[in-house]
Amino acid sequence: QNALVEYRDAFSYEKNNTELMLKIGECYRFLDRPEEAERMYRLFINDRNFLSTQDPRIQYNFGLILESNGKYE
């Protein structure tokens, strides 16, 4: 939870930092807060940098978050 506070604080200064978006999303996922995790993952995925990474772990984790939120399609 301390990491989440630190990442959110840094994100308030760097709104376009995709690494922070992903780290905040992961913190929310680990804290079982899937709604907030989905919001941050969507910010990350909608960024053009996501297209260059295409990391399957990110896609898998996002799928888990959507499943937690009851979004199956």
Side-chain angles (χ1 to χ4, degrees), residues 31-42:
L31 292 170
D32 198 29
R33 294 167 61 180
E35 292 85 13
E36 291 104 331
E38 180 181 347
R39 184 176 54 83
M40 291 310 296
Y41 261 79
R42 286 196 186 279

Side-chain angles (χ1 to χ4, degrees), residues 4-67:
L4 176 60
V5 171
E6 295 296 323
Y7 290 142
R8 284 178 41 193
D9 185 47
F11 187 66
S12 70
Y13 296 102
E14 300 181 53
K15 293 288 186 186
N16 295 321
N17 187 324
T18 54
E19 184 179 343
L20 287 173
M21 292 175 196
L22 187 59
K23 289 182 184 286
I24 293 169
E26 281 295 283
C27 286
Y28 283 134
R29 185 171 72 86
F30 287 124
L31 292 170
D32 198 29
R33 294 167 61 180
E35 292 85 13
E36 291 104 331
E38 180 181 347
R39 184 176 54 83
M40 291 310 296
Y41 261 79
R42 286 196 186 279
L43 280 176
F44 174 77
I45 288 170
N46 288 334
D47 188 274
R48 68 179 188 272
N49 291 328
F50 172 71
L51 296 176
S52 64
T53 61
Q54 292 297 309
D55 185 337
R57 292 171 295 182
I58 294 169
Q59 295 172 0
Y60 175 77
N61 290 340
F62 186 52
L64 292 176
I65 291 166
L66 292 175
E67 181 181 42

